[in-house]
Amino acid sequence: MKRELNHHYIGESYGGNQDWFRTFWMRIGGCGAETACESSLYFAREFGFTKLYPFDADDVKREEYVDFAHMMEDYLWPRFTGINKLSIYINGYVKYLRDTGEYRVDVGEFLGNHTYEEAAEKVKEQIDAGLPIPFLTLRHKDARYSDYVWHWYLVNGYDDTEDGFKVKAVTYSGYKWLDFEGLWNTGCKPTGGMIIYTVNEETPGL
């Protein structure tokens, strides 16, 4: 079974690209902020949470996207060691959500110390619910995943076949289908993990 979520284009680019950012530190360390931007655009387009993207989410322009990324920098700024914990992303993005007045999105964590089987089930659960997954990979023993080391990116699809379980990893204006067992079992510590979004039908407390 194959499931893919909708994703925005910016011109011919499949999503944004941190190489577009205006400062050196954001270009080398803005992947956390970019992943939050991608998430916000998805919620604006697919759930109608339009306060999360301050421009036209149905016609995303590169210059506006870059402006937005530098707004998100206030919440998920590059650090010397990077945004190397799920908790840092959660704290920053929740603050952004609440500052925009959006309370219907909750943000949790799924740490990399879970088994591959547990992680694969969580991926299916999230994608089947129509929710993208911010993903953090820290170190990895397998050079095939070197482009994803010490990096945040978005997972927005899966393909479950007899040949294995793959996920659609989105970063740098494109995507690749990656073997999830290989991706998850890094063979290294510390591990990263996944951000788990939950969407409530109504604003809590109303």
Side-chain angles (χ1 to χ4, degrees):
M1 177 182 292
K2 190 174 187 177
R3 295 290 302 274
E4 297 178 73
L5 303 182
N6 293 329
H7 200 71
H8 63 277
Y9 280 83
I10 305 173
E12 296 182 357
S13 172
Y14 189 81
N17 192 321
Q18 70 189 76
D19 284 341
W20 299 344
F21 297 162
R22 299 190 182 105
T23 65
F24 171 78
W25 283 109
M26 278 291 281
R27 287 193 294 274
I28 67 168
C31 53
E34 184 191 356
T35 303
C37 291
E38 300 288 279
S39 299
S40 298
L41 262 165
Y42 182 84
F43 287 128
R45 290 166 60 93
E46 301 299 323
F47 285 87
F49 299 169
T50 54
K51 291 184 291 185
L52 294 184
Y53 185 66
F55 306 104
D56 185 354
D58 293 318
D59 183 19
V60 185
K61 295 179 171 58
R62 174 169 166 169
E63 184 175 347
E64 292 174 344
Y65 181 90
V66 172
D67 286 343
F68 181 44
H70 284 280
M71 295 175 194
M72 193 64 74
E73 182 182 5
D74 290 340
Y75 298 88
L76 291 163
W77 63 91
R79 295 154 170 83
F80 182 72
T81 57
I83 298 175
N84 61 343
K85 296 180 180 178
L86 302 180
S87 59
I88 299 175
Y89 182 97
I90 291 170
N91 291 339
Y93 193 48
V94 166
K95 188 174 190 308
Y96 173 73
L97 291 170
R98 304 310 178 240
D99 282 353
T100 61
E102 185 54 73
Y103 289 84
R104 290 169 291 184
V105 179
D106 288 328
V107 189
E109 66 181 15
F110 188 92
L111 294 170
N113 57 6
H114 286 270
T115 66
Y116 156 69
E117 289 79 12
E118 291 169 334
E121 284 304 311
K122 181 58 70 172
V123 168
K124 292 178 185 178
E125 177 184 307
Q126 292 299 105
I127 300 299
D128 288 348
L131 296 168
I133 306 168
F135 205 102
L136 172 64
T137 300
L138 293 173
R139 297 182 176 90
H140 206 295
K141 66 179 180 181
D142 191 332
R144 292 179 299 170
Y145 302 100
S146 59
D147 289 343
Y148 303 90
V149 167
W150 220 263
H151 190 51
W152 283 94
Y153 49 98
L154 202 70
V155 166
N156 71 351
Y158 71 80
D159 190 8
D160 192 8
T161 71
E162 293 180 355
D163 296 327
F165 185 69
K166 293 183 178 181
V167 294
K168 186 178 180 183
V170 181
T171 188
Y172 286 107
S173 296
Y175 63 86
K176 290 183 180 179
W177 287 96
L178 304 177
D179 173 64
F180 187 62
E181 186 171 8
L183 178 66
W184 187 258
N185 291 328
T186 65
C188 300
K189 291 185 178 180
T191 58
M194 299 183 284
I195 294 295
I196 302 302
Y197 291 135
T198 306
V199 174
N200 301 303
E201 293 297 326
E202 298 180 357
T203 302
L206 295 183

